[in-house]
Amino acid sequence: MATSRKLQAQSKQAYSYLLQVELEDITPTIWRQVWVDSGMSLHTLHHVLQATMGWTDAHLHEFSINGKRYALPDPEDDPKRLPVDERKVLLGQILEPGLEFKYLYDYGDSWTHVIRVEEVNPITEPAGCKPYGVAFVDAGQGACPPEDSGGAPGYQDSLDLLREDPESEDAQSFLQWAGEDFDPGRFDRHAANAALLRMAWNRWG
């Protein structure tokens, strides 16, 4: 059941959101579908995205939503471009059906995730029936790129090389660095959900 952002802000009703998450500029597309709830903060969503995609949270990040920047405040932030503190913003305050926004991870490699709110449904189960701020991955495709692999352009070059000339020295060098069992087409939904559940029971700490 879809609802407007205004109605959500005025109501104590909790909602769940189905988010479609796609990593920009990679072919074939690396994507995830994940359920989150309206009581989560944007900071918690950051942790959800890290676990859902397979990142290691080793770099800085930020959200861009409706022309505003959300992140963890840092003393080195540009005073003219201070972000909104992502810890103080709940998903129920900003998400609405059809909203599209971006999540940037690693300012060096600039991994840009395009996120779209696909569904909004009321949560009907009683409080206390689930751990704090549960998230759940419905589906996905493609392995998370290795950290520090050159962003979308560098990683795409590696993917093309693995497809076109897998026995080449450069392709084998990439696999040695990424892990010899690395499979760019593999996504383990069960492992992602297990990680999310552990994080939820630990209250995302």
Side-chain angles (χ1 to χ4, degrees):
M1 172 182 174
T3 184
S4 70
R5 184 170 47 188
K6 182 177 180 180
L7 286 177
Q8 291 178 48
Q10 293 174 347
S11 172
K12 293 183 180 180
Q13 170 71 58
Y15 292 89
S16 60
Y17 305 94
L18 178 62
L19 305 182
Q20 175 78 20
V21 184
E22 296 186 2
L23 198 54
E24 266 193 348
D25 300 325
I26 298 292
T27 302
T29 304
I30 299 170
W31 60 268
R32 309 283 187 264
Q33 285 187 333
V34 58
W35 287 97
V36 295
D37 69 53
S38 56
M40 290 182 176
S41 68
L42 272 176
H43 185 58
T44 299
L45 179 59
H46 153 68
H47 289 301
V48 169
L49 293 170
Q50 287 285 307
T52 299
M53 293 299 297
W55 300 116
T56 63
D57 203 5
H59 303 280
L60 297 175
H61 69 276
E62 65 180 55
F63 293 92
S64 298
I65 307 172
N66 286 329
K68 290 185 179 181
R69 176 174 168 252
Y70 299 81
L72 289 175
D74 187 282
E76 297 185 5
D77 284 332
D78 182 350
K80 298 180 180 178
R81 192 172 173 264
L82 292 176
V84 178
D85 190 336
E86 65 183 33
R87 296 169 296 186
K88 299 179 180 180
V89 181
L90 300 181
L91 301 188
Q93 296 174 310
I94 55 175
L95 298 190
E96 60 185 351
L99 176 69
E100 189 171 286
F101 61 101
K102 293 188 176 182
Y103 169 72
L104 174 65
Y105 172 60
D106 185 354
Y107 293 164
D109 276 1
S110 297
W111 298 105
T112 300
H113 306 67
V114 179
I115 304 173
R116 180 179 173 81
V117 182
E118 296 287 338
E119 292 184 33
V120 182
N121 296 315
I123 296 175
T124 56
E125 62 187 24
C129 290
K130 61 179 185 175
Y132 177 83
V134 163
F136 179 80
V137 181
D138 242 5
Q141 173 182 285
C144 183
E147 297 273 2
D148 304 315
S149 54
Y155 183 59
Q156 187 67 62
D157 286 346
S158 297
L159 290 181
D160 294 343
L161 190 61
L162 288 174
R163 183 175 59 252
E164 296 167 4
D165 194 5
E167 301 303 321
S168 68
E169 183 177 342
D170 287 342
Q172 291 303 307
S173 178
F174 170 78
L175 287 177
Q176 288 178 5
W177 176 71
E180 293 188 1
D181 63 343
F182 178 75
D183 178 356
R186 181 193 303 148
F187 170 61
D188 190 334
R189 184 173 69 90
H190 297 292
N193 279 319
L196 288 171
L197 188 58
R198 286 194 302 270
M199 296 171 76
W201 281 114
N202 288 315
R203 302 180 76 84
W204 306 98

